[in-house]
Amino acid sequence: MKQIVFVILALSLFGVRSQTYEVGVFGGGANMIGDVGRTNFILPSDIAFGGIFKWNKSKRYAWRGSIIYGKFTADDTKSNTTARQQRGFVVDNSVLEGSVGLEFNFVDYNLHKLGPAFTPYLYTGVTYFRYDFDYFNGGVLQEINQKDGSFAIPITGGFKYRINQFLIFGAEIGARYTFTDNLDASNPVGSNFEEFQFGNIFSDDWYVFSGVTLTYTFGRKSCTDCFE
């Protein structure tokens, strides 16, 4: 406990003059868009949580990295498509992603001056994630306890607001365009799985994280004119 208090005090003293870095948490929900289940763009079916780090290089952009875990359920019976309702497939999956990229602020966002700071922002970069490799056989989901990995392009929009000198609250919705079509177990890749493919095999899946962030700012100003 004493060590934790010491670290917090040290970060606070280090960040009194300025805040260059942010470290914090993300919490919210996850959903998927594919060939099984609903087609709603934003409709979380389970939880998502993780950690975020940002390096504010200027008033207009920050380098950002994150690790986020999310779960989702795709259920045909909850779809608004009659064909899917009659089919009745259900698949659960989860993703663990690491993402790095650039966050762009719509307005000047200066953390080196006292007072409120607010801006909408966009984030994109590159994401790599791991997910469960499953497939359907005769309408029954085959869970083979195997993982697969793929890349994705994150497209995230949100806003952030500085609560006080050290805490920043944010909210965002981030869609990931993936380079796999098997998050919903509809397109397992491999010569042994071709007979189990269905749906639109030419359209890759998406997954979406929507939620809030809370970050702690620290670090001295790295140059004399970055935030002037």
Side-chain angles (χ1 to χ4, degrees), residues 16-200:
V16 165
R17 294 181 58 189
S18 60
Q19 294 78 35
T20 299
Y21 307 104
E22 299 176 46
V23 61
V25 294
F26 169 89
N31 66 281
M32 186 205 67
I33 307 163
D35 294 302
V36 178
R38 300 184 181 188
T39 56
N40 303 75
F41 186 76
I42 306 169
L43 191 62
S45 60
D46 214 320
I47 62 171
F49 58 88
I52 293 178
F53 176 82
K54 299 180 185 181
W55 179 15
N56 294 286
K57 287 291 291 180
S58 79
K59 293 179 287 185
R60 281 304 182 101
Y61 75 90
W63 294 107
R64 164 173 163 168
S66 64
I67 298 176
I68 300 177
Y69 172 81
K71 300 168 57 180
F72 47 77
T73 298
D75 187 344
D76 276 345
T77 63
K78 297 181 179 180
S79 172
N80 56 7
T81 303
T82 303
R84 293 192 182 189
Q85 292 174 358
Q86 294 173 345
R87 184 178 59 188
F89 284 3
V90 179
V91 58
D92 296 309
N93 211 327
S94 63
V95 294
L96 177 62
E97 69 161 37
S99 183
V100 293
L102 190 68
E103 188 173 281
F104 175 78
N105 302 322
F106 280 86
V107 299
D108 288 349
Y109 187 69
N110 195 340
L111 295 180
H112 295 276
K113 292 182 180 181
L114 296 178
F118 171 86
T119 182
Y121 64 84
L122 289 176
Y123 166 75
T124 191
V126 61
T127 294
Y128 179 78
F129 65 95
R130 301 285 291 175
Y131 65 97
D132 297 329
F133 181 92
D134 300 324
Y135 66 97
F136 283 95
N137 184 1
V140 179
L141 182 67
Q142 307 297 310
E143 299 177 299
I144 58 178
N145 296 319
Q146 179 179 326
K147 293 286 186 178
D148 202 355
S150 181
F151 287 93
I153 299 174
I155 306 169
T156 300
F159 72 87
K160 49 190 174 182
Y161 174 78
R162 184 167 64 181
I163 301 173
N164 56 38
Q165 189 174 358
F166 301 109
L167 294 177
I168 297 173
F169 171 82
E172 65 180 38
I173 298 171
R176 278 73 167 168
Y177 172 73
T178 75
F179 295 99
T180 178
D181 190 30
N182 201 46
L183 280 179
D184 53 11
S186 69
N187 189 20
V189 178
S191 57
N192 296 331
F193 297 101
E194 290 181 355
E195 62 179 299
F196 306 119
Q197 297 174 354
F198 64 90
N200 185 358

